[in-house]
Amino acid sequence: MVLKLYIDLLSQPSRALFILLKTAKCDFEKKLVDLRKGAHYTDEFTAINRFQKVPVIDHNGFILTESVAIIKYLSRENLIPNSLFPKESKSQARVDEFLEWQHIGLRIHCAMYFRVKVIDPKFTGKAPSAKTLMGFEKRMISSLKAFEMHWLQNGTEFIAGDSITVADLLAACELEQPRAAGYDAAENFKDISTWWNKVRNHFNPYYDEAHAVINSLIEKNKLAAKL
């Protein structure tokens, strides 16, 4: 049976898993779940994921949620390259170290900035106050500073060593979220910019394919700002 991947490409971890499986040349069926239309709240999808979130995989009837758990499972099933998620103990521990940190160290701050500036106004019709937005932006910038200092200035080329791994892919996808809200970390952090370009280049053409929706949103916002 083909692996089924339930995603919405507006979701950072959804994009990361899509890129990962494409890069691995893994045979999978893409199942789109439109979050903007509330498809994740339907009874049909809730039967697949009780948490009503994406991404989710269905592998021969085995359903698994949470992107990090999915990545580790795909590795154990030999569906993704060892180079991207190493099986050697210490190398894997370095990747796991970042995966544990990134949830509250990077992801939450980038995601909340995007949500407050882009998502909430679309649903409520109200823009956030300048004070509220500034607070989320400050926390996001602080997390970006920590990311650059502790993970990109550690004497290695990539997050978990001198070889690119899923840690780099997940982090890169997280940074696309504030970019879609008008804040490009590459314009403000030199080391992030250099590293980010390497990650994009490594995973292309699938990286750009996965981010077509995000890039379209950015272009629409630029056009609207000129009007």
Side-chain angles (χ1 to χ4, degrees):
M1 184 184 294
V2 174
L3 174 73
K4 296 178 183 178
L5 175 66
Y6 293 83
I7 55 172
D8 184 323
L9 292 176
L10 276 179
S11 154
Q12 308 92 296
S14 286
R15 296 194 300 269
L17 280 171
F18 175 82
I19 296 166
L20 178 60
L21 290 173
K22 282 280 192 174
T23 301
K25 308 299 182 186
C26 179
D27 184 20
F28 72 98
E29 180 182 348
K30 181 174 67 174
K31 308 284 283 186
L32 293 177
V33 181
D34 195 331
L35 301 182
R36 288 165 290 183
K37 293 183 179 180
H40 52 312
Y41 293 129
T42 63
D43 291 341
E44 180 183 4
F45 185 72
T46 301
I48 297 168
N49 183 3
R50 61 199 183 282
F51 299 115
Q52 301 177 320
K53 295 179 180 180
V54 290
V56 186
I57 62 166
D58 180 343
H59 187 217
N60 298 327
F62 177 70
I63 296 174
L64 187 64
T65 68
E66 299 298 327
S67 56
V68 172
I70 291 170
I71 288 171
K72 292 182 177 182
Y73 172 78
L74 294 174
S75 174
R76 290 193 299 271
E77 294 294 306
N78 297 311
L79 294 174
I80 58 175
N82 291 344
S83 60
L84 293 178
F85 192 79
K87 292 187 176 181
E88 190 278 322
S89 180
K90 290 183 174 60
S91 298
Q92 186 177 121
R94 286 299 179 206
V95 175
D96 285 339
E97 184 180 28
F98 177 77
L99 297 182
E100 293 290 344
W101 177 86
Q102 63 102 19
H103 289 291
I104 60 173
L106 182 67
R107 172 172 169 71
I108 190 171
H109 302 294
C110 292
M112 286 305 299
Y113 179 77
F114 176 78
R115 176 174 176 173
V116 170
K117 189 174 180 181
V118 177
I119 299 298
D120 288 350
K122 287 185 180 295
F123 282 97
T124 65
K126 298 179 181 179
S129 68
K131 182 178 180 181
T132 296
L133 186 59
M134 180 69 71
F136 281 100
E137 184 172 321
K138 284 183 176 179
R139 286 190 285 275
M140 178 186 66
I141 291 173
S142 178
S143 75
L144 291 171
K145 287 179 179 177
F147 172 62
E148 184 176 69
M149 179 184 299
H150 299 302
W151 298 101
L152 302 182
Q153 296 176 348
N154 57 3
T156 60
E157 188 173 1
F158 295 102
I159 289 174
D162 289 322
S163 297
I164 200 165
T165 67
V166 293
D168 300 284
L169 178 57
L170 285 173
C173 290
E174 292 297 340
L175 298 190
E176 295 288 353
Q177 222 66 2
R179 189 173 75 87
Y183 185 93
D184 190 342
E187 295 177 355
N188 299 281
F189 296 90
K190 180 181 177 181
D191 289 331
I192 286 179
S193 178
T194 300
W195 159 84
W196 205 354
N197 282 329
K198 291 178 183 177
V199 177
R200 284 196 186 104
N201 291 336
H202 181 90
F203 288 105
N204 262 332
Y206 308 119
Y207 190 96
D208 286 345
E209 180 182 349
H211 287 92
V213 174
I214 290 292
N215 290 328
S216 176
L217 176 61
I218 292 171
E219 291 305 313
K220 286 180 181 179
N221 289 339
K222 287 180 179 179
L223 182 61
K226 294 178 180 179
L227 298 178

